[in-house]
Amino acid sequence: MKLMRIGPAGAERPIVRVNETQYVDVSDVARDFDEAYFRSGGLDSLRDEVGRRIADGRIERFGDERIGSPIGRPHQVLCIGLNFSDHAAETGQAVPAEPIVFNKAPNTVVGPYDDVRIPRGSAKTDWEVELGIVIGRRASYLNSPEEARDVIAGFVLVNDVSERAFQMERGGQWVKGKSAETFNPTGPWLVTPDEISDVNDLAMWLDVNGVRRQTGSTATMIFDPYTIVHYLSQFLVLEPGDLIDTGTPPGVGMGAKPPVYLKAGDVMALGIDGLGEQRQNVVGAR
């Protein structure tokens, strides 16, 4: 299934995408695709319900409604740094022996076509196309990466927007450069694992103002999604609806020679095979 949420920010309703033009409204059986819904095991019965509604002709057509993040505000957003060997090389840093873990504020999550706002005082706002993992059930101390497969609700496209000066030059942890408002566009849909033949072989790309900046594949990830979930479960409790950003391929603005950063008026477009595409206008600080 491809889970989506449409409607005004803060008032989205859950739907399931049928194709490019049609969807099934499931807001009467799922209040929201959020922590409570995933915790309840609602996905287990949703596929059959959607099938019945399609058979009954209960299908609606996409209009001009806003597309929100496919998940409600998560309990936490966890991120993995330097998880592509070619991206580590462009930053001049060594390939990590263990996953580098940091947080983003959960309220960074916005829709895939919402504006990205440059934070006040920023000079180095950057882009990062990434594969996101959404957790489907509470998990801790998983025994193996194989066991991790069973706790994943699905995969999603994210843009891990970053302010490099805040991240690298202001001391402390990376969270400061990762947590400005609008810094985690997510969606357009959450794809359940059964719809992806090989999550470890998905093409990824990102353009800025029509110029290709990032081209990569999940095949070059240092730590694959199942290893990441297993690893994180050894140190913290993963909750249903949690979002994990898994790292970016080369081509970020920081790695260009000379570096190139976002400014108001820029347009980012990005995508991952099977997970859809995003487009964001960059706007100035408020």
Side-chain angles (χ1 to χ4, degrees), residues 144-231:
S144 67
E146 275 301 310
E147 188 175 352
R149 293 174 181 264
D150 295 332
V151 307
I152 294 174
F155 301 98
V156 65
L157 168 65
V158 297
N159 188 355
D160 175 20
V161 185
S162 309
E163 211 301 331
R164 301 303 189 186
F166 296 174
Q167 178 187 0
M168 303 292 193
E169 301 169 18
R170 297 291 297 274
Q173 298 183 340
W174 287 4
V175 65
K176 294 199 303 294
K178 297 285 187 172
S179 293
E181 60 182 329
T182 74
F183 263 28
N184 209 93
T186 303
W189 49 73
L190 168 68
V191 180
T192 52
D194 58 293
E195 297 229 2
I196 299 177
S197 59
D198 185 1
V199 74
N200 294 314
D201 189 22
L202 301 177
M204 314 167 70
W205 59 272
L206 182 144
D207 296 346
V208 179
N209 300 327
V211 176
R212 183 59 46 93
R213 292 293 184 177
Q214 290 188 271
T215 302
S217 169
T218 58
T220 64
M221 293 173 72
I222 299 165
F223 306 104
D224 67 56
Y226 311 114
T227 299
I228 289 169
V229 172
H230 168 251
Y231 180 85

Coordinates of all heavy atoms in Angstrom, one line a residue, residues 144-231:
S144 N 18.5 -9.4 15.6 CA 19.3 -9.4 14.4 C 18.7 -8.5 13.4 O 17.5 -8.0 13.5 CB 19.2 -10.8 13.8 OG 17.9 -11.1 13.4
P145 N 19.4 -8.1 12.3 CA 18.8 -7.3 11.3 C 17.6 -8.0 10.6 O 16.7 -7.3 10.2 CB 20.0 -7.2 10.3 CG 21.2 -7.2 11.1 CD 20.9 -8.2 12.2
E146 N 17.6 -9.3 10.5 CA 16.5 -10.0 10.0 C 15.2 -9.7 10.8 O 14.1 -9.5 10.3 CB 16.8 -11.5 9.9 CG 17.5 -11.9 8.6 CD 16.7 -11.6 7.4 OE1 15.5 -11.9 7.3 OE2 17.3 -11.0 6.5
E147 N 15.4 -9.8 12.1 CA 14.3 -9.5 13.0 C 13.7 -8.1 12.8 O 12.6 -7.8 13.0 CB 14.6 -9.8 14.5 CG 13.5 -9.7 15.4 CD 13.8 -10.1 16.8 OE1 15.0 -10.5 17.1 OE2 13.0 -9.9 17.7
A148 N 14.6 -7.2 12.5 CA 14.3 -5.8 12.3 C 13.3 -5.6 11.1 O 12.4 -4.7 11.1 CB 15.5 -4.9 12.0
R149 N 13.3 -6.5 10.2 CA 12.3 -6.4 9.1 C 10.9 -6.4 9.6 O 10.0 -5.7 9.0 CB 12.5 -7.6 8.1 CG 13.8 -7.6 7.4 CD 14.0 -8.9 6.5 NE 15.3 -8.9 5.8 CZ 15.4 -8.5 4.6 NH1 14.4 -8.1 3.9 NH2 16.6 -8.5 4.0
D150 N 10.6 -7.1 10.6 CA 9.2 -7.2 11.1 C 8.7 -6.0 11.9 O 7.5 -6.0 12.2 CB 9.1 -8.5 12.0 CG 9.4 -9.8 11.3 OD1 9.2 -9.8 10.1 OD2 9.9 -10.7 11.9
V151 N 9.6 -5.1 12.2 CA 9.1 -3.9 12.9 C 9.0 -2.6 12.0 O 8.7 -1.6 12.5 CB 10.0 -3.6 14.1 CG1 10.1 -4.8 15.0 CG2 11.4 -3.1 13.8
I152 N 9.3 -2.8 10.7 CA 9.2 -1.7 9.8 C 7.9 -1.6 9.2 O 7.4 -2.5 8.5 CB 10.3 -1.8 8.8 CG1 11.7 -1.7 9.4 CG2 10.2 -0.7 7.7 CD1 12.9 -2.0 8.5
A153 N 7.2 -0.4 9.3 CA 5.9 -0.2 8.7 C 6.1 0.1 7.2 O 5.2 -0.2 6.4 CB 5.2 0.9 9.4
G154 N 7.1 0.8 6.9 CA 7.3 1.1 5.5 C 8.5 2.1 5.3 O 9.2 2.5 6.2
F155 N 8.6 2.6 4.0 CA 9.7 3.4 3.6 C 9.2 4.7 3.0 O 8.1 4.7 2.4 CB 10.7 2.7 2.7 CG 11.3 1.5 3.3 CD1 10.7 0.2 3.0 CD2 12.3 1.5 4.1 CE1 11.3 -0.9 3.5 CE2 12.9 0.4 4.7 CZ 12.3 -0.9 4.4
V156 N 9.9 5.8 3.1 CA 9.4 7.1 2.6 C 10.6 7.9 2.1 O 11.7 7.8 2.6 CB 8.7 7.8 3.8 CG1 9.6 8.1 4.9 CG2 7.9 9.0 3.3
L157 N 10.3 8.8 1.2 CA 11.3 9.8 0.7 C 11.4 11.0 1.7 O 10.3 11.5 2.1 CB 10.9 10.3 -0.7 CG 11.6 11.5 -1.3 CD1 13.0 11.2 -1.5 CD2 10.9 11.9 -2.6
V158 N 12.6 11.4 2.1 CA 12.7 12.6 2.9 C 13.8 13.5 2.3 O 14.7 13.0 1.6 CB 13.1 12.2 4.4 CG1 11.9 11.4 5.0 CG2 14.4 11.4 4.5
N159 N 13.8 14.7 2.7 CA 14.8 15.7 2.4 C 15.4 16.2 3.7 O 14.7 16.9 4.4 CB 14.3 16.9 1.6 CG 15.4 17.8 1.1 OD1 16.5 17.7 1.4 ND2 15.0 18.8 0.3
D160 N 16.5 15.7 4.1 CA 17.1 16.0 5.4 C 17.9 17.4 5.3 O 19.1 17.4 5.1 CB 18.1 14.9 5.8 CG 18.9 15.2 7.1 OD1 18.4 16.1 7.9 OD2 19.9 14.6 7.3
V161 N 17.1 18.5 5.2 CA 17.7 19.8 5.1 C 18.6 20.1 6.3 O 18.2 19.8 7.4 CB 16.6 20.8 4.9 CG1 17.2 22.2 4.6 CG2 15.6 20.5 3.8
S162 N 19.7 20.8 6.0 CA 20.7 21.0 7.1 C 21.3 22.4 7.0 O 21.5 22.9 5.9 CB 21.8 19.9 6.9 OG 21.3 18.6 6.8
E163 N 21.6 23.0 8.1 CA 22.3 24.2 8.1 C 23.7 23.9 8.6 O 24.0 23.6 9.8 CB 21.7 25.2 9.1 CG 21.8 26.7 8.7 CD 23.3 27.2 8.6 OE1 24.1 26.7 9.3 OE2 23.5 28.1 7.8
R164 N 24.7 24.0 7.7 CA 26.0 23.4 7.9 C 26.8 24.3 9.0 O 27.6 23.7 9.7 CB 26.8 23.3 6.6 CG 26.2 22.5 5.6 CD 25.9 21.1 6.0 NE 25.5 20.2 4.9 CZ 25.1 19.0 5.0 NH1 25.1 18.4 6.2 NH2 24.8 18.2 4.0
A165 N 26.6 25.6 8.9 CA 27.4 26.4 9.9 C 26.9 26.1 11.3 O 27.6 25.9 12.3 CB 27.2 27.9 9.6
F166 N 25.5 26.0 11.5 CA 25.0 25.6 12.8 C 25.5 24.2 13.2 O 25.7 23.9 14.4 CB 23.5 25.6 12.7 CG 22.8 26.9 12.5 CD1 21.4 27.0 12.3 CD2 23.5 28.1 12.4 CE1 20.8 28.2 12.0 CE2 22.9 29.3 12.1 CZ 21.6 29.4 12.0
Q167 N 25.5 23.3 12.2 CA 25.9 21.9 12.5 C 27.4 21.7 12.8 O 27.7 21.0 13.7 CB 25.5 21.1 11.2 CG 25.9 19.6 11.3 CD 25.7 18.8 10.0 OE1 25.3 19.4 9.0 NE2 26.0 17.6 10.0
M168 N 28.2 22.4 12.1 CA 29.7 22.1 12.1 C 30.5 23.2 12.8 O 31.6 22.9 13.3 CB 30.2 21.9 10.7 CG 29.6 20.9 9.9 SD 29.9 19.2 10.5 CE 29.3 18.3 9.1
E169 N 30.0 24.4 12.9 CA 30.9 25.5 13.3 C 30.4 26.1 14.7 O 31.1 27.0 15.1 CB 30.9 26.6 12.2 CG 31.4 26.1 10.9 CD 31.2 27.1 9.8 OE1 31.0 28.3 10.1 OE2 31.2 26.6 8.6
R170 N 29.3 25.6 15.2 CA 28.8 26.3 16.4 C 29.0 25.4 17.7 O 28.5 25.8 18.7 CB 27.3 26.6 16.2 CG 27.1 27.6 15.1 CD 27.5 29.0 15.5 NE 26.9 29.5 16.6 CZ 25.7 30.2 16.5 NH1 25.1 30.4 15.4 NH2 25.1 30.6 17.6
G171 N 29.8 24.3 17.6 CA 30.0 23.5 18.8 C 28.8 22.6 19.1 O 27.7 22.8 18.5
G172 N 29.0 21.7 20.1 CA 27.9 20.9 20.5 C 27.6 19.8 19.5 O 28.4 19.4 18.7
Q173 N 26.3 19.4 19.5 CA 25.9 18.3 18.6 C 25.3 18.8 17.3 O 24.9 19.9 17.2 CB 24.9 17.4 19.4 CG 25.6 16.8 20.6 CD 24.6 15.9 21.3 OE1 23.4 15.9 21.2 NE2 25.1 15.0 22.2
W174 N 25.1 17.9 16.3 CA 24.6 18.2 15.0 C 23.1 18.7 15.1 O 22.6 19.3 14.1 CB 24.7 17.0 14.1 CG 26.1 16.7 13.7 CD1 27.2 17.3 14.0 CD2 26.4 15.7 12.7 NE1 28.3 16.7 13.4 CE2 27.9 15.7 12.6 CE3 25.7 14.7 12.0 CZ2 28.6 14.9 11.8 CZ3 26.4 13.9 11.2 CH2 27.8 13.9 11.0
V175 N 22.4 18.3 16.1 CA 21.0 18.6 16.2 C 20.7 20.1 15.9 O 19.6 20.4 15.3 CB 20.4 18.1 17.5 CG1 20.9 19.0 18.7 CG2 18.9 18.2 17.5
K176 N 21.5 21.0 16.2 CA 21.3 22.4 16.0 C 21.2 22.7 14.5 O 20.4 23.6 14.1 CB 22.4 23.3 16.7 CG 22.4 23.2 18.2 CD 23.2 24.4 18.7 CE 24.6 24.6 18.2 NZ 25.5 23.5 18.6
G177 N 22.0 22.1 13.7 CA 22.0 22.3 12.3 C 20.9 21.5 11.5 O 20.8 21.7 10.3
K178 N 20.1 20.7 12.3 CA 19.2 19.8 11.6 C 17.7 20.1 12.0 O 16.8 19.5 11.4 CB 19.5 18.4 12.0 CG 20.9 17.9 11.6 CD 20.9 17.6 10.1 CE 22.2 16.9 9.6 NZ 22.1 16.5 8.2
S179 N 17.5 21.0 12.9 CA 16.2 21.1 13.5 C 15.4 22.3 13.3 O 14.4 22.6 14.0 CB 16.3 20.8 15.0 OG 16.7 19.5 15.3
A180 N 15.8 23.2 12.3 CA 15.0 24.3 12.0 C 13.6 23.9 11.5 O 13.5 22.9 10.9 CB 15.7 25.2 11.1
E181 N 12.6 24.8 11.6 CA 11.3 24.5 11.1 C 11.4 24.2 9.6 O 12.2 24.8 8.8 CB 10.4 25.7 11.3 CG 10.8 27.0 10.6 CD 9.9 28.2 10.9 OE1 8.7 27.9 11.1 OE2 10.4 29.3 11.0
T182 N 10.6 23.3 9.1 CA 10.5 22.8 7.7 C 11.7 22.0 7.2 O 11.8 21.7 6.0 CB 10.3 24.0 6.7 OG1 11.5 24.7 6.5 CG2 9.2 24.9 7.2
F183 N 12.6 21.6 8.1 CA 13.8 20.9 7.7 C 13.7 19.4 7.4 O 14.7 18.8 7.3 CB 14.9 21.2 8.7 CG 15.8 22.4 8.4 CD1 15.4 23.4 7.6 CD2 17.1 22.4 8.8 CE1 16.2 24.5 7.3 CE2 18.0 23.5 8.5 CZ 17.5 24.5 7.7
N184 N 12.5 18.9 7.4 CA 12.4 17.4 7.0 C 11.1 17.2 6.2 O 10.2 16.5 6.6 CB 12.3 16.6 8.3 CG 12.9 15.2 8.1 OD1 14.1 15.0 8.3 ND2 12.1 14.3 7.6
P185 N 11.1 17.7 4.9 CA 10.0 17.4 4.1 C 9.9 15.8 3.9 O 10.9 15.2 3.7 CB 10.3 18.0 2.7 CG 11.2 19.2 3.2 CD 12.0 18.7 4.3
T186 N 8.7 15.3 4.0 CA 8.5 13.8 4.0 C 7.4 13.4 3.1 O 6.3 14.0 3.1 CB 8.2 13.4 5.5 OG1 9.3 13.8 6.3 CG2 8.1 11.9 5.6
G187 N 7.5 12.4 2.4 CA 6.5 11.9 1.5 C 6.9 12.0 0.0 O 8.0 12.2 -0.3
P188 N 5.9 11.8 -0.9 CA 4.5 12.0 -0.7 C 3.7 10.8 -0.1 O 2.6 11.0 0.4 CB 4.0 12.3 -2.1 CG 4.9 11.6 -3.0 CD 6.3 11.7 -2.3
W189 N 4.3 9.6 -0.2 CA 3.6 8.5 0.4 C 4.6 7.6 1.2 O 5.8 7.6 1.0 CB 2.9 7.7 -0.7 CG 3.7 7.3 -1.9 CD1 4.7 6.4 -1.9 CD2 3.6 7.9 -3.2 NE1 5.2 6.3 -3.2 CE2 4.6 7.2 -4.0 CE3 2.8 8.8 -3.8 CZ2 4.7 7.5 -5.3 CZ3 3.0 9.1 -5.1 CH2 3.9 8.5 -5.9
L190 N 4.0 6.8 2.1 CA 4.7 5.8 2.8 C 4.4 4.5 2.1 O 3.2 4.1 2.0 CB 4.2 5.7 4.3 CG 4.6 4.5 5.1 CD1 6.1 4.5 5.3 CD2 3.9 4.4 6.4
V191 N 5.4 3.8 1.7 CA 5.2 2.5 0.9 C 5.5 1.4 1.9 O 6.5 1.3 2.5 CB 6.2 2.5 -0.3 CG1 6.0 1.1 -1.0 CG2 6.0 3.6 -1.2
T192 N 4.5 0.5 2.0 CA 4.7 -0.7 2.8 C 5.8 -1.6 2.2 O 5.9 -1.7 1.0 CB 3.4 -1.5 3.0 OG1 2.8 -1.7 1.7 CG2 2.4 -0.6 3.9
P193 N 6.5 -2.4 3.0 CA 7.7 -3.1 2.5 C 7.4 -4.1 1.4 O 8.2 -4.4 0.5 CB 8.2 -3.9 3.7 CG 7.8 -3.0 4.9 CD 6.4 -2.4 4.5
D194 N 6.1 -4.7 1.4 CA 5.8 -5.7 0.3 C 5.8 -5.1 -1.1 O 5.8 -5.8 -2.0 CB 4.4 -6.3 0.7 CG 3.3 -5.3 0.7 OD1 3.4 -4.4 1.7 OD2 2.5 -5.3 -0.1
E195 N 5.8 -3.8 -1.2 CA 5.7 -3.1 -2.5 C 7.1 -2.8 -3.1 O 7.2 -2.3 -4.2 CB 4.9 -1.8 -2.4 CG 3.4 -2.1 -2.1 CD 2.5 -1.3 -3.0 OE1 2.9 -0.7 -3.9 OE2 1.3 -1.4 -2.7
I196 N 8.1 -3.1 -2.3 CA 9.5 -2.8 -2.7 C 10.3 -4.1 -2.9 O 10.5 -4.8 -1.9 CB 10.2 -1.8 -1.7 CG1 9.4 -0.5 -1.6 CG2 11.6 -1.6 -2.1 CD1 10.0 0.4 -0.6
S197 N 10.7 -4.4 -4.1 CA 11.4 -5.6 -4.3 C 12.8 -5.7 -3.6 O 13.2 -6.7 -3.1 CB 11.6 -5.9 -5.8 OG 12.3 -4.9 -6.4
D198 N 13.5 -4.6 -3.6 CA 14.8 -4.5 -2.9 C 15.1 -3.1 -2.5 O 15.5 -2.3 -3.3 CB 15.9 -5.0 -3.9 CG 17.3 -5.1 -3.2 OD1 17.4 -4.9 -2.0 OD2 18.2 -5.5 -3.9
V199 N 14.9 -2.9 -1.2 CA 15.1 -1.5 -0.7 C 16.6 -1.2 -0.7 O 17.0 0.0 -0.6 CB 14.6 -1.4 0.8 CG1 15.5 -2.2 1.8 CG2 14.4 0.0 1.2
N200 N 17.5 -2.1 -0.9 CA 18.9 -1.9 -1.0 C 19.4 -1.6 -2.4 O 20.6 -1.7 -2.7 CB 19.7 -3.1 -0.4 CG 19.4 -3.2 1.1 OD1 19.5 -2.2 1.8 ND2 19.2 -4.4 1.6
D201 N 18.5 -1.3 -3.3 CA 18.8 -1.0 -4.7 C 17.8 0.0 -5.3 O 17.2 -0.3 -6.3 CB 18.9 -2.3 -5.5 CG 19.5 -2.1 -6.9 OD1 20.2 -1.1 -7.1 OD2 19.3 -2.9 -7.8
L202 N 17.7 1.1 -4.7 CA 16.8 2.2 -5.2 C 17.6 3.4 -5.6 O 18.4 3.9 -4.9 CB 15.8 2.6 -4.0 CG 14.9 1.5 -3.4 CD1 14.1 2.0 -2.3 CD2 14.1 0.8 -4.5
A203 N 17.3 3.8 -6.8 CA 18.0 5.0 -7.3 C 17.5 6.3 -6.6 O 16.3 6.4 -6.3 CB 17.8 5.2 -8.8
M204 N 18.4 7.3 -6.4 CA 18.0 8.5 -5.7 C 18.6 9.7 -6.5 O 19.6 9.6 -7.1 CB 18.7 8.5 -4.3 CG 18.5 7.2 -3.5 SD 19.6 7.1 -2.1 CE 18.9 8.3 -1.0
W205 N 17.9 10.8 -6.4 CA 18.4 12.0 -7.1 C 17.8 13.3 -6.5 O 16.8 13.2 -5.8 CB 17.9 12.0 -8.6 CG 16.4 11.9 -8.8 CD1 15.7 10.8 -8.9 CD2 15.5 13.0 -8.9 NE1 14.3 11.1 -9.0 CE2 14.2 12.5 -9.1 CE3 15.7 14.4 -9.0 CZ2 13.1 13.3 -9.2 CZ3 14.6 15.2 -9.1 CH2 13.3 14.6 -9.3
L206 N 18.5 14.4 -6.7 CA 18.0 15.7 -6.3 C 18.5 16.8 -7.2 O 19.7 16.8 -7.6 CB 18.5 16.0 -4.8 CG 18.0 17.3 -4.2 CD1 17.7 17.1 -2.7 CD2 19.0 18.4 -4.4
D207 N 17.7 17.7 -7.6 CA 18.0 18.8 -8.4 C 17.8 20.1 -7.6 O 16.9 20.2 -6.8 CB 17.1 18.9 -9.7 CG 17.3 17.7 -10.6 OD1 18.3 17.0 -10.5 OD2 16.4 17.6 -11.5
V208 N 18.6 21.1 -7.9 CA 18.4 22.5 -7.4 C 18.3 23.4 -8.6 O 19.2 23.5 -9.4 CB 19.5 22.9 -6.4 CG1 19.2 24.4 -5.9 CG2 19.6 22.0 -5.2
N209 N 17.2 24.1 -8.8 CA 16.9 25.0 -9.9 C 17.2 24.3 -11.2 O 17.7 24.9 -12.2 CB 17.8 26.2 -9.8 CG 17.6 27.0 -8.5 OD1 16.4 27.1 -8.0 ND2 18.6 27.6 -8.0
G210 N 16.7 23.0 -11.3 CA 16.8 22.3 -12.5 C 18.2 21.7 -12.8 O 18.4 21.0 -13.8
V211 N 19.2 21.9 -11.9 CA 20.5 21.3 -12.1 C 20.7 20.1 -11.2 O 20.4 20.1 -10.0 CB 21.6 22.4 -11.7 CG1 23.0 21.7 -11.8 CG2 21.5 23.6 -12.6
R212 N 21.0 19.0 -11.8 CA 21.2 17.7 -11.0 C 22.4 17.9 -10.1 O 23.5 18.1 -10.5 CB 21.4 16.6 -12.0 CG 21.6 15.2 -11.3 CD 20.4 14.8 -10.5 NE 19.1 15.0 -11.1 CZ 18.4 14.0 -11.8 NH1 19.0 12.9 -12.0 NH2 17.2 14.3 -12.3
R213 N 22.1 17.7 -8.8 CA 23.1 17.9 -7.7 C 23.5 16.5 -7.1 O 24.6 16.3 -6.8 CB 22.7 18.8 -6.6 CG 22.5 20.3 -7.1 CD 23.9 20.9 -7.4 NE 23.8 22.3 -7.7 CZ 24.9 23.0 -8.0 NH1 26.1 22.5 -8.0 NH2 24.7 24.3 -8.3
Q214 N 22.5 15.7 -6.9 CA 22.8 14.4 -6.3 C 22.2 13.3 -7.2 O 21.1 13.3 -7.7 CB 22.1 14.3 -4.9 CG 22.7 15.1 -3.8 CD 22.1 14.8 -2.5 OE1 21.1 15.4 -2.1 NE2 22.7 13.9 -1.7
T215 N 23.1 12.3 -7.4 CA 22.7 11.0 -8.1 C 23.3 9.9 -7.3 O 24.5 9.9 -7.0 CB 23.2 11.0 -9.5 OG1 22.7 12.1 -10.2 CG2 22.8 9.7 -10.2
G216 N 22.5 9.0 -6.8 CA 23.0 7.9 -6.0 C 22.1 6.7 -6.0 O 21.1 6.6 -6.7
S217 N 22.4 5.8 -5.1 CA 21.6 4.6 -4.9 C 21.7 4.1 -3.5 O 22.8 4.2 -2.9 CB 22.0 3.5 -5.9 OG 21.4 2.2 -5.6
T218 N 20.6 3.5 -3.0 CA 20.7 2.9 -1.7 C 21.7 1.7 -1.7 O 22.1 1.2 -0.6 CB 19.3 2.4 -1.2 OG1 18.8 1.5 -2.1 CG2 18.4 3.6 -1.0
A219 N 22.1 1.2 -2.8 CA 23.1 0.1 -2.9 C 24.4 0.5 -2.3 O 25.2 -0.4 -2.0 CB 23.2 -0.3 -4.4
T220 N 24.7 1.8 -2.2 CA 26.0 2.2 -1.7 C 25.9 2.7 -0.2 O 26.9 3.2 0.3 CB 26.6 3.4 -2.5 OG1 25.8 4.5 -2.4 CG2 26.7 3.0 -4.0
M221 N 24.8 2.4 0.4 CA 24.8 2.6 1.9 C 25.7 1.8 2.6 O 25.9 0.6 2.3 CB 23.3 2.4 2.4 CG 22.3 3.4 1.9 SD 20.6 2.9 2.3 CE 20.6 3.3 4.1
I222 N 26.4 2.3 3.6 CA 27.3 1.6 4.5 C 26.5 0.6 5.4 O 26.9 -0.6 5.5 CB 28.2 2.5 5.3 CG1 29.0 3.4 4.3 CG2 29.1 1.7 6.2 CD1 29.7 4.6 5.0
F223 N 25.5 1.1 6.0 CA 24.6 0.3 6.9 C 23.2 0.3 6.3 O 22.6 1.4 6.1 CB 24.6 1.0 8.3 CG 26.0 1.1 8.9 CD1 26.5 2.4 9.0 CD2 26.7 0.1 9.4 CE1 27.8 2.6 9.5 CE2 28.0 0.2 9.9 CZ 28.5 1.5 10.0
D224 N 22.7 -0.9 5.9 CA 21.4 -1.0 5.3 C 20.3 -0.7 6.3 O 20.5 -0.7 7.5 CB 21.3 -2.3 4.6 CG 21.2 -3.5 5.5 OD1 20.3 -3.5 6.4 OD2 22.1 -4.4 5.4
P225 N 19.1 -0.5 5.8 CA 18.0 -0.2 6.7 C 17.8 -1.2 7.8 O 17.5 -0.8 9.0 CB 16.8 -0.1 5.8 CG 17.3 0.2 4.4 CD 18.7 -0.4 4.4
Y226 N 17.9 -2.5 7.6 CA 17.7 -3.5 8.6 C 18.8 -3.5 9.7 O 18.5 -3.6 10.9 CB 17.5 -4.8 8.0 CG 16.6 -4.8 6.8 CD1 17.0 -5.1 5.5 CD2 15.2 -4.5 7.0 CE1 16.1 -5.0 4.4 CE2 14.3 -4.5 5.9 CZ 14.8 -4.7 4.6 OH 14.0 -4.7 3.6
T227 N 20.0 -3.2 9.2 CA 21.1 -3.1 10.2 C 20.9 -1.9 11.0 O 21.2 -1.9 12.2 CB 22.4 -3.0 9.4 OG1 22.6 -4.2 8.6 CG2 23.6 -2.8 10.3
I228 N 20.5 -0.8 10.4 CA 20.2 0.5 11.2 C 19.2 0.3 12.3 O 19.4 0.6 13.4 CB 19.8 1.6 10.2 CG1 21.0 2.0 9.4 CG2 19.2 2.8 11.0 CD1 20.6 2.9 8.2
V229 N 18.1 -0.4 11.9 CA 17.0 -0.6 12.9 C 17.5 -1.5 14.0 O 17.2 -1.2 15.2 CB 15.7 -1.1 12.3 CG1 14.7 -1.5 13.3 CG2 15.1 -0.1 11.3
H230 N 18.1 -2.5 13.7 CA 18.7 -3.4 14.7 C 19.7 -2.7 15.6 O 19.6 -2.8 16.8 CB 19.4 -4.6 14.0 CG 20.2 -5.5 14.9 ND1 21.6 -5.5 14.9 CD2 19.9 -6.3 16.0 CE1 22.1 -6.3 15.8 NE2 21.0 -6.8 16.5
Y231 N 20.6 -1.9 15.0 CA 21.6 -1.2 15.8 C 20.9 -0.2 16.8 O 21.2 -0.2 17.9 CB 22.5 -0.5 14.8 CG 23.6 0.3 15.5 CD1 24.8 -0.3 15.9 CD2 23.4 1.7 15.7 CE1 25.8 0.5 16.5 CE2 24.4 2.4 16.4 CZ 25.6 1.8 16.7 OH 26.6 2.5 17.3

